[in-house]
Amino acid sequence: MAKLTLDGLKAKLTTNHLRAAELLLEKEYAPKGEKKTYAEIAEELGIDTSTLYHWRQNADFVRYQGWKLIR
């Protein structure tokens, strides 16, 4: 099995997936009064909130968030 690279992982995701992952990480680490809601993030991306929840179950999406977190 080939080793997964950040570039390989990014190639599996859309631009919206990548942005959503970053916005969700920002939400996690934002000061208490500055955290965006899932609805606000979904609106910013032009998607439905349920789509955002669905993406959060995608293994590649979760791996990408992990890469962003440790970098």
Side-chain angles (χ1 to χ4, degrees):
M1 178 181 257
K3 183 177 177 183
L4 185 63
T5 64
L6 180 57
D7 287 336
L9 190 54
K10 286 170 120 178
K12 293 181 170 190
L13 300 169
T14 67
T15 302
N16 258 2
H17 283 116
L18 300 175
R19 183 69 182 131
E22 292 172 9
L23 289 171
L24 288 169
L25 285 173
E26 287 175 13
K27 170 188 171 30
E28 289 298 316
Y29 295 99
K32 193 170 189 171
E34 298 177 26
K35 293 181 184 248
K36 292 181 180 178
T37 65
Y38 289 116
E40 290 170 329
I41 292 170
E43 183 177 334
E44 184 173 331
L45 295 167
I47 61 172
D48 190 74
T49 306
S50 64
T51 301
L52 186 58
Y53 281 107
H54 178 73
W55 288 355
R56 293 177 60 226
Q57 305 306 310
N58 177 302
D60 292 327
F61 183 87
V62 173
R63 283 187 197 105
Y64 179 74
Q65 281 188 298
W67 276 92
K68 291 299 286 185
L69 185 60
I70 61 173
R71 301 258 184 288

